[in-house]
Amino acid sequence: MLQKRTEDYPPENNRFRFLNKETEAFQVKELPDVPFDIGEMYSGLMPIDEKDPSRALFFVFQPTVGPPTDEIVIWLNGGPGCSSLEGFFQENGRFIWGPGMYSVELNPYSWVNLSNVLWVEQPVGTGFSIGKVTATSEEDVAQDFVKFFKNFQTTFGIKNFKIFVTGESYAGRYVPYISAAMLDEKNKEFYDLSGALTYDPCIGSCDYVQGEVPTLPFVQQNKNVFGLNDTFMAQIEELDKKCGYAEYRDKWMHFPPAGQQPPTFFNYSSDADLACDIFDIVINAGYAVNPCSNVYEITTMCPIPADVLGFPTDIAYSYRGQPIYFNRTDVKKAMHAPLDINWAECSGPVFIGDGGPMQEGDLSLDPIQHVLPQVIEATNRVLVANGDLDMIVLTNGTLLSIQNMTWNGKMGFQTQPSKPIIITLPDLQYGQAFIDNGIGGLDNPMGTMGVQHYERGLMWAQTALSGHMEPQYQPRSSYRHLQWLLGHIQTL
């Protein structure tokens, strides 16, 4: 439900459901170079603690363009330190301006078609968010977020909304910890967590189990893409055995699992571990064959398309020689962003200290050890997915991590995922603007687009032909994932 809006501040032509005296300062009326009516949209800095405006998270909020709904989907990018404005502008927002695109376009697979969506730049140290970095753990990050989110809801007059926390990559850590913190609040009025979704997530041993162990089979399966010669392949096959990765897979990649996997950690300051760094050995060799090789999507070839967000570097890949979009003064003003911040897609640090996962100072346990099972058991509506063309987080590594997790009374999946995801009919709940643009006629069947498997509250989705950023690389599959999360469909 919504708190009652004051009589003297009605929504404009009944279009703007969340517009009130408190939210007017966040309203975005237009975006430079976006030639569409952007509808109802808000962005700006929201304090973590309303008594201390010096620490605040930057957000973008787009209410659904479909039928009004009392639910909200939160989207978080990873990094750590990578901006959720990437998700907003190049993945699942209402309009997209992706790499290689000359101008912005309406996104037919926008998540805004299905629900209200909130993109948040977090933790502090990310994007436009401001304040002193204080986090040493995911618990710290989660506490900052739940405080911010309550302030956001209070400002926008939101109560008793169903909440779905989603994200990708390093947000595989953010999503479960934030979700668990909401559950711990035991307050359905502001924290009615109803499900979670995470793409290509860091949920286990990110470097060892999700990186080094599955590298060789991944390269073998994609040999024609990598183009590595037989001599090199023989060398890494021998290294795979010598370093124990082959034995690890043979022992632990089973359905049901063979037992609890041993603790693992890859030490980048250890000469012995570096000698077994097959992941980086393959990447470096790949650059010799394809200088535009991309671990986020391995089929990327030269030339690298210009990117309006300047990833991976604003010098080499700027868009037509123009400033990065979110660094433009006119864009900052339109979005109520700090003018003095030099925005970058990935920044930081966002943790203090060092020695945690990925050497980023994050000292928390892997999500599979406690918080992810907690979220599954509380909601029975969690989706974990991995793209088959992603090398930064490998599909079999994510599956291995799931096989090392206990939830709802059992460890891992009891049977091997095998049910195909077949997309045969249009999935979109078409809005009138979508129909008017004539895009519906192009929305043809795709066929088999991956593998799905559901057990005890957890849905697994292996996404065919997708790189790391699944809403960007396979938006139609991602759209269906969200439909499942929201309870609109029961299978993928």
Side-chain angles (χ1 to χ4, degrees), residues 96-375:
I96 52 172
W97 197 341
M101 292 175 59
Y102 185 78
S103 61
V104 68
E105 299 286 348
L106 284 171
N107 181 5
Y109 296 102
S110 171
W111 287 13
V112 176
N113 293 346
L114 299 172
S115 186
N116 308 302
V117 184
L118 173 67
W119 294 265
V120 185
E121 290 191 306
Q122 65 89 54
V124 168
T126 304
F128 286 125
S129 294
I130 62 171
K132 182 179 179 182
V133 174
T134 61
T136 61
S137 67
E138 291 295 332
E139 289 86 353
D140 294 340
V141 169
Q143 285 304 308
D144 276 354
F145 191 91
V146 296
K147 293 174 184 176
F148 151 85
F149 188 56
K150 187 173 183 180
N151 287 333
F152 169 83
Q153 291 177 95
T154 300
T155 300
F156 280 82
I158 293 173
K159 285 185 179 181
N160 298 312
F161 270 37
K162 291 183 177 180
I163 299 164
F164 301 88
V165 185
T166 70
E168 69 189 14
S169 193
Y170 202 82
R173 298 178 68 79
Y174 299 151
V175 168
Y177 272 93
I178 289 171
S179 298
M182 289 185 178
L183 292 171
D184 291 342
E185 290 289 320
K186 295 180 172 56
N187 180 349
K188 291 275 188 174
E189 186 175 46
F190 288 105
Y191 302 109
D192 187 10
L193 183 79
S194 299
L197 175 155
T198 182
Y199 286 125
D200 300 59
C202 176
I203 56 173
S205 172
C206 302
D207 296 315
Y208 191 89
V209 174
Q210 294 189 261
E212 301 293 344
V213 170
T215 290
L216 177 63
F218 180 80
V219 177
Q220 290 171 330
Q221 292 164 8
N222 296 282
K223 185 177 179 181
N224 290 343
V225 174
F226 284 98
L228 302 169
N229 62 39
D230 292 341
T231 300
F232 179 83
M233 290 300 297
Q235 291 173 349
I236 62 170
E237 286 166 6
E238 180 61 30
L239 198 58
D240 180 68
K241 295 177 183 177
K242 177 182 176 182
C243 295
Y245 304 143
E247 181 182 3
Y248 196 100
R249 294 191 303 271
D250 290 343
K251 187 171 183 179
W252 302 114
M253 185 61 104
H254 295 286
F255 303 87
Q260 191 80 41
Q261 298 169 33
T264 54
F265 179 72
F266 198 85
N267 186 353
Y268 287 98
S269 63
S270 163
D271 290 340
D273 278 4
L274 287 176
C276 288
D277 187 5
I278 293 181
F279 181 88
D280 282 316
I281 291 171
V282 168
I283 290 174
N284 291 331
Y287 283 129
V289 180
N290 174 16
C292 298
S293 178
N294 180 2
V295 293
Y296 295 98
E297 208 279 2
I298 61 169
T299 62
T300 301
M301 300 293 169
C302 294
I304 294 178
D307 186 352
V308 70
L309 299 189
F311 187 80
T313 163
D314 59 345
I315 298 175
Y317 305 108
S318 61
Y319 181 76
R320 292 184 294 174
Q322 300 298 312
I324 292 173
Y325 186 79
F326 293 116
N327 255 338
R328 289 169 46 174
T329 300
D330 56 347
V331 174
K332 290 180 180 180
K333 288 181 177 179
M335 297 183 70
H336 319 296
L339 297 178
D340 60 341
I341 288 182
N342 184 39
W343 185 91
E345 187 166 336
C346 294
S347 55
V350 299
F351 293 99
I352 58 176
D354 55 29
M358 302 176 71
Q359 302 297 309
E360 293 291 347
D362 178 357
L363 302 178
S364 298
L365 297 175
D366 294 330
I368 60 171
Q369 297 182 49
H370 176 63
V371 289
L372 185 52
Q374 179 186 355
V375 175

Side-chain angles (χ1 to χ4, degrees), residues 51-78:
K51 298 178 181 178
D52 179 14
S54 68
R55 298 183 78 243
L57 302 181
F58 189 82
F59 72 91
V60 174
F61 177 47
Q62 287 188 305
T64 181
V65 297
T69 177
D70 287 354
E71 63 192 17
I72 187 166
V73 175
I74 297 165
W75 173 264
L76 308 171
N77 277 79

Side-chain angles (χ1 to χ4, degrees), residues 399-416:
L399 262 180
L400 266 172
S401 297
I402 290 174
Q403 292 307 92
N404 200 31
M405 177 174 67
T406 298
W407 75 96
N408 277 326
K410 293 182 180 179
M411 173 178 280
F413 288 137
Q414 303 304 293
T415 57
Q416 185 168 359

